[in-house]
Amino acid sequence: KFISTIPSSLFNSGKTRSEGATRSLTKCDLHGNAFTGELPGTLTKGVPFLKYLYLHDNRLTGNLDTELFCGAANSFIDIRLNNNSFTGNFKIQCLMENLELISLASNNLTGPLEDGIGHKLPRLREIHLFDNKLSSTIPTTIFDPTNLTAILMYNNQLTGSLTANVFNGASHLEHLYLNGNKLSGKLDDFVSAKGLEALKKLRLEYNSFSGTIPDFTGMPSIEVLYLYNNSFTGSLNADKLPPTLKKLKVSNNTLNNEIPSKLGEFENLEALSLNGNEFVGKIPSELSNLNSLQIFHLQRNKLSASIPVQFQQLTSLSELRLDFNEITGSVPKQVCDLRDSGLQTLVSDCGGKNPKVSCSCCTECS
């Protein structure tokens, strides 16, 4: 690994043969070293044809002035400065017509997101700004680059609500990660956005969204839907969920009433987390039809009755948590037999002097 500042001479060009070679540079990959200090002021002045700049995973510091990129503005395709310690605001200073990916994640960037960002990056496909300290609403122009496929802005301090007018142009968007922010309000307007047909992964956990869980069937490609650790209330309506789901996590909200038996028809489900809510009644035996299910979390609800013997059909299961409920009786032997075929974690209320559940195979008793 190199441990030094980045020499400004690296990006200078002149009349000598070596300097002329620098001028024609199209890729600079210095990632994964221990470079320190600020970016040199000559960053792109002598390399107008630079397409790929990889400086991620170093120890670079200082105020991030994106005007440093303007010397190669017409050439840049991919800029990665993530996992450093840059400070300052994220603001694009010049038009970059060919830029497809920019990653400034895991730095110390602050301030608002620029409202005209989409106009200056017309061919952008991915923007990675997660793990910073950005604070603003989401710019309405962010989807002006119609080929945008991934927005990763989790773990910031973004505020406001999600509205359809911001996302109507997101026809190619596949990954939208806004988890770990300060977003709030209901999602009803957001799910009515036209153009989210390509969305596959939606992560909105650890925010302050409220209201009932809206109708997501207008997103027919969605596979991952994370809504946990918000303030959703009301029933979970399976008719409002797309059948393409592979991972559904709605834990730690205030959802109530019974768990819908129709969830048993979601044959692609691999992870189902309903824990930390106020679900009541029995566990639907229809959930035993989820042949691909690997993670099944039902703990910390108000579920009652017994554990369905039909759960023996969940042969792909690796985790089953049933603790902190009102479930009684014994864990069926047929369910215990799953411990021999991949079930690594099985937790129930089998602890204490007067256990509510009898279990001879549980890995943990609450």
Side-chain angles (χ1 to χ4, degrees):
K1 289 188 175 183
F2 293 101
I3 303 175
S4 70
T5 58
I6 298 176
S8 59
S9 59
L10 181 64
F11 299 98
N12 288 335
S13 64
K15 298 180 180 180
T16 68
R17 179 178 299 180
S18 60
E19 289 173 334
T22 300
R23 180 175 175 80
S24 62
L25 187 71
T26 60
K27 182 176 181 179
C28 177
D29 188 350
L30 300 176
H31 86 278
N33 284 286
F35 284 114
T36 60
E38 300 183 6
L39 293 176
T42 57
L43 183 64
T44 60
K45 289 182 179 179
V47 284
F49 306 110
L50 191 63
K51 296 181 180 180
Y52 305 95
L53 179 62
Y54 297 156
L55 300 177
H56 51 289
D57 299 303
N58 278 288
R59 301 174 188 173
L60 297 169
T61 57
N63 187 68
L64 183 63
D65 184 0
T66 57
E67 188 173 359
L68 294 174
F69 306 145
C70 294
N74 294 327
S75 300
F76 268 129
I77 295 176
D78 193 333
I79 297 174
R80 305 189 189 197
L81 304 178
N82 49 291
N83 293 309
N84 282 288
S85 297
F86 292 116
T87 58
N89 296 342
F90 172 62
K91 187 175 183 180
I92 300 298
Q93 301 286 359
C94 48
L95 176 66
M96 297 186 184
E97 293 183 325
N98 296 301
L99 190 67
E100 296 181 0
L101 187 150
I102 184 167
S103 180
L104 303 176
S106 300
N107 281 286
N108 294 308
L109 302 180
T110 58
L113 290 169
E114 183 183 9
D115 193 23
I117 184 174
H119 299 322
K120 295 179 180 178
L121 307 173
R123 294 188 181 179
L124 193 66
R125 296 178 62 85
E126 297 188 24
I127 181 168
H128 303 175
L129 295 174
F130 57 87
D131 290 332
N132 280 289
K133 300 174 183 177
L134 300 171
S135 57
S136 70
T137 56
I138 298 173
T140 56
T141 58
I142 198 165
F143 290 106
D144 283 356
T146 56
N147 290 324
L148 200 59
T149 61
I151 291 183
L152 310 183
M153 294 185 179
Y154 57 90
N155 294 342
N156 279 286
Q157 299 173 15
L158 301 177
T159 59
S161 58
L162 301 184
T163 55
N165 66 308
V166 175
F167 296 91
N168 280 332
S171 58
H172 292 88
L173 188 65
E174 296 181 359
H175 303 91
L176 179 60
Y177 291 7
L178 298 174
N179 45 300
N181 280 287
K182 298 180 179 180
L183 299 167
S184 60
K186 298 181 179 181
L187 293 179
D188 300 78
D189 189 58
F190 165 68
V191 297
S192 69
K194 298 177 181 179
L196 288 172
E197 291 88 354
L199 191 63
K200 293 182 178 180
K201 296 182 179 181
L202 176 61
R203 297 193 56 172
L204 300 177
E205 72 267 21
Y206 286 103
N207 279 288
S208 298
F209 293 113
S210 59
T212 57
I213 293 179
D215 191 341
F216 282 94
T217 55
M219 303 175 188
S221 302
I222 200 163
E223 297 176 353
V224 174
L225 179 59
Y226 288 177
L227 302 175
Y228 59 91
N229 287 84
N230 278 284
S231 299
F232 291 109
T233 57
S235 302
L236 179 63
N237 188 342
D239 289 323
K240 294 183 177 181
L241 299 172
T244 50
L245 280 175
K246 292 183 178 180
K247 296 182 179 181
L248 174 64
K249 296 186 178 183
V250 295
S251 49
N252 298 325
N253 283 286
T254 318
L255 302 175
N256 54 33
N257 294 321
E258 295 185 349
I259 296 173
S261 60
K262 192 171 182 179
L263 281 177
E265 299 177 11
F266 287 62
E267 59 185 19
N268 297 313
L269 271 180
E270 299 172 359
L272 178 60
S273 296
L274 306 177
N275 53 290
N277 283 288
E278 298 179 0
F279 289 115
V280 298
K282 65 179 183 179
I283 304 172
S285 60
E286 290 85 351
L287 299 181
S288 62
N289 295 323
L290 300 174
N291 296 324
S292 299
L293 195 63
Q294 300 171 25
I295 308 296
F296 195 9
H297 290 171
L298 293 173
Q299 71 269 25
R300 298 187 183 276
N301 279 289
K302 299 178 180 179
L303 299 168
S304 56
S306 58
I307 300 168
V309 68
Q310 292 92 336
F311 276 14
Q312 65 180 304
Q313 299 171 210
L314 298 174
T315 55
S316 298
L317 209 58
S318 63
E319 288 186 27
L320 175 59
R321 294 203 56 168
L322 304 164
D323 46 315
F324 294 102
N325 279 289
E326 300 302 322
I327 297 169
T328 57
S330 300
V331 175
K333 179 184 180 302
Q334 296 91 329
V335 176
C336 279
D337 289 342
L338 294 176
R339 293 278 289 116
D340 298 325
S341 60
L343 182 59
Q344 299 176 1
T345 301
L346 175 57
V347 186
S348 71
D349 291 321
C350 52
K353 293 182 178 179
N354 299 299
K356 290 181 283 189
V357 176
S358 174
C359 183
S360 62
C361 62
C362 285
T363 58
E364 183 180 336
C365 289
S366 298

